[in-house]
């Protein structure tokens, strides 16, 4: 008898359908939100998030800074919850809070504090009736539906597409908007990509270095988290531009590297960095275009989009399938990682 599918597998596989529905249902909301943000013309933006949502926030930082020219900083929740030190200089800024549940006390308190200081608060949440949503000037529902697996998958992808959709409307970026129109099909294609060649090399180790750069660096960070959550493999993520500043000294013969190659200007020098790891004897596994991943021992296929942001989103969908299979291969339950729960109640 075949083993039943995990919730993680079922939920991640549905991301294409989720994204298609989200973009259609949020269309008029995004038009209105973008118009309000253009009128606000904020001098900078804040992000408020933790865990996978914080990786999505870093994706927002890169996208907003490169496409909209708006500086973005991460607002540490501890500044509000522990130190009570939210700066009055956030007045007039755009604050983006991202949460699957919308119930984490530290995020709610931080959102309330920055809005109290005059920031314009947008909440991206899966539950538009959640306490976090109640604090916001604008609520952008993720429309991911119920997510029961502890490891967030479809809600993370939904966060990335909502961020990209907001950036496309705000910046009147027709190219990104067209690419998002095809995102559902791209995610289905990404899910079908065969990354199984990477399972055995990864199953044989207890630690992995995960690389990205630009828009793929948040993807690498999310992958590193999922290695820990689902397979209990220690993983650390770095930008390929930063890894030579120390971490590279730890990598030697046979050590695994999983790399997510960027598809935009950040690709410059990426192949050379992978080659340097390969020369040290590392086992390089890379997802991306053939020229960027040429030094890798294992090259993983990707679903390519005309916009590099959407290509990056497809990569994490392919990875989620790999992560679930790896957890199963190691005898782990990807739906029930030890010591973790769906809502993290931090202050």
């Amino acid at each position: 008898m075949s083993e039943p599918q995990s919730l993680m597998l079922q939920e991640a596989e549905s991301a294409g359908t989720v994204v298609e529905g989200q973009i259609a249902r949020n269309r008029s909301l995004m038009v209105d939100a973008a118009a309000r943000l253009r009128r606000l013309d904020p001098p900078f933006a804040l992000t408020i998030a933790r865990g996978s949502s914080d990786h999505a926030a870093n994706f927002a930082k890169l996208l907003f800074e490169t496409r909209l020219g708006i500086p973005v900083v991460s607002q540490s929740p501890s500044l509000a919850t522990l130190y009570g030190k939210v700066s009055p200089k956030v007045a007039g800024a755009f604050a983006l809070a991202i949460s699957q549940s919308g119930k984490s006390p530290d995020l709610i308190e931080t959102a309330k504090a920055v809005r109290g200081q005059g920031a314009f608060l947008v909440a991206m949440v899966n539950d538009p009736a959640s306490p976090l949503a109640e604090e916001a000037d604008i609520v952008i529902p993720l429309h991911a539906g119920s997510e029961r697996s502890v490891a967030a998958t479809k809600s993370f992808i939904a966060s990335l597409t909502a961020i990209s959709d907001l950036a496309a409307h705000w910046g009147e970026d027709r190219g990104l908007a067209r690419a998002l129109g095809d995102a559902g099909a791209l995610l289905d294609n990404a899910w079908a990509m065969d990354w199984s060649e990477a399972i055995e090399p990864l199953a044989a180790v207890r630690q992995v270095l995960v690389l990205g750069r630009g828009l793929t660096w948040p993807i690498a960070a999310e992958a590193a988290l999922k290695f820990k959550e689902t397979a209990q493999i220690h993983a650390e993520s770095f930008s390929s531009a930063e890894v030579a500043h120390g971490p590279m000294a730890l990598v030697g013969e046979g050590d695994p590297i999983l790399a997510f190659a960027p598809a935009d200007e950040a690709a410059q020098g990426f192949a050379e960095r992978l080659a340097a790891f390969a020369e040290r004897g590392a086992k390089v596994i890379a997802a991306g275009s053939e020229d960027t991943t040429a030094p890798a021992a294992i090259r993983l296929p990707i679903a390519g989009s005309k916009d590099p942001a959407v290509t990056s989103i497809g990569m994490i969908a392919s990875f989620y399938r790999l992560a679930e299979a790896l957890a199963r291969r190691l005898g782990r339950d990807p739906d029930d990682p030890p010591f973790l729960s769906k809502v993290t109640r931090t202050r």
Side-chain angles (χ1 to χ4, degrees):
M1 182 179 294
S2 62
E3 194 173 14
Q5 282 192 339
S6 68
L7 292 172
M8 179 184 175
L9 191 75
Q10 296 172 46
E11 290 167 358
E13 185 177 11
S14 72
T17 301
V18 165
V19 163
E20 281 188 349
Q22 178 202 92
I23 291 171
R25 295 170 71 181
N26 284 352
R27 187 165 289 117
S28 62
L29 171 62
M30 287 294 188
V31 170
D32 292 342
R36 292 180 70 178
L37 288 166
R38 282 194 295 270
R39 288 195 299 270
L40 178 68
D41 191 21
F44 66 97
L46 308 167
T47 59
I48 304 166
R50 287 214 190 266
S52 288
S53 293
D54 198 40
H55 303 153
N58 283 326
F59 187 85
K61 172 183 172 66
L62 289 154
L63 199 60
F64 292 168
E65 290 186 344
T66 57
R67 305 293 179 94
L68 303 173
I70 298 173
V72 181
V73 297
S74 174
Q75 177 75 19
S76 171
S78 298
L79 290 175
T81 60
L82 299 182
Y83 296 99
K85 296 292 184 181
V86 173
S87 172
K89 293 183 179 181
V90 303
F94 159 54
L96 177 62
I98 308 170
S99 174
Q100 189 275 328
S101 70
K103 296 177 182 177
S104 298
D106 53 351
L107 302 187
I108 297 164
E109 191 170 338
T110 302
K112 186 174 183 178
V114 299
R115 192 175 181 221
Q117 290 286 14
F120 184 85
L121 180 65
V122 174
M124 290 184 176
V125 290
N126 203 26
D127 181 2
S130 63
L132 179 61
E134 291 175 2
E135 299 293 338
D137 294 289
I138 295 176
V139 178
I140 297 177
L142 299 179
H143 297 298
S146 175
E147 190 173 55
R148 292 180 291 163
S149 179
V150 170
T153 55
K154 63 178 179 175
S155 63
F156 177 72
I157 291 173
S159 298
L160 299 186
T161 55
I163 288 163
S164 302
D165 202 15
L166 180 60
H169 280 87
W170 188 351
E172 299 176 307
D173 185 337
R174 294 181 181 179
L176 178 54
R178 283 193 296 270
L180 287 168
D182 297 329
L186 178 133
L187 285 164
D188 289 341
N189 189 19
W191 184 256
M193 292 294 163
D194 184 5
W195 285 21
S196 59
E197 188 180 357
I199 293 175
E200 290 306 318
L202 292 171
V205 300
R206 300 304 309 143
Q207 59 185 17
V208 181
L209 185 65
V210 191
L211 300 181
R213 193 175 186 189
L215 288 165
T216 66
W217 180 75
I219 304 304
E222 171 65 6
L225 177 62
K226 288 300 182 287
F227 273 126
K228 296 175 184 129
E229 281 183 333
T230 63
Q232 284 85 71
I233 291 174
H234 180 72
E236 295 295 336
S237 63
F238 289 92
S239 162
S240 63
E242 293 291 335
V243 73
H245 290 225
M248 198 165 184
L250 298 174
V251 177
E253 186 72 32
D255 290 334
I257 307 289
L258 177 62
F260 295 89
D264 60 4
E265 294 88 339
Q268 296 179 37
F270 199 85
E272 288 81 357
R273 185 68 73 214
L274 297 187
F277 278 112
E279 288 167 5
R280 294 171 62 91
K283 181 81 169 183
V284 179
I285 305 166
S289 64
E290 187 172 339
D291 57 339
T292 314
T293 61
I298 297 175
R299 296 208 300 267
L300 305 175
I302 63 167
S305 165
K306 292 181 179 179
D307 191 288
V310 179
T311 298
S312 299
I313 297 171
M315 286 181 177
I316 198 62
S318 300
F319 174 80
Y320 283 150
R321 187 172 182 181
L322 168 65
E324 195 273 349
L326 177 62
R328 294 278 200 172
R329 166 66 180 78
L330 293 171
R332 313 289 188 188
D333 181 352
D335 292 333
D336 190 23
F339 312 115
L340 299 179
S341 61
K342 192 63 182 170
V343 179
T344 303
R345 300 190 178 278
T346 311
R347 188 172 186 277

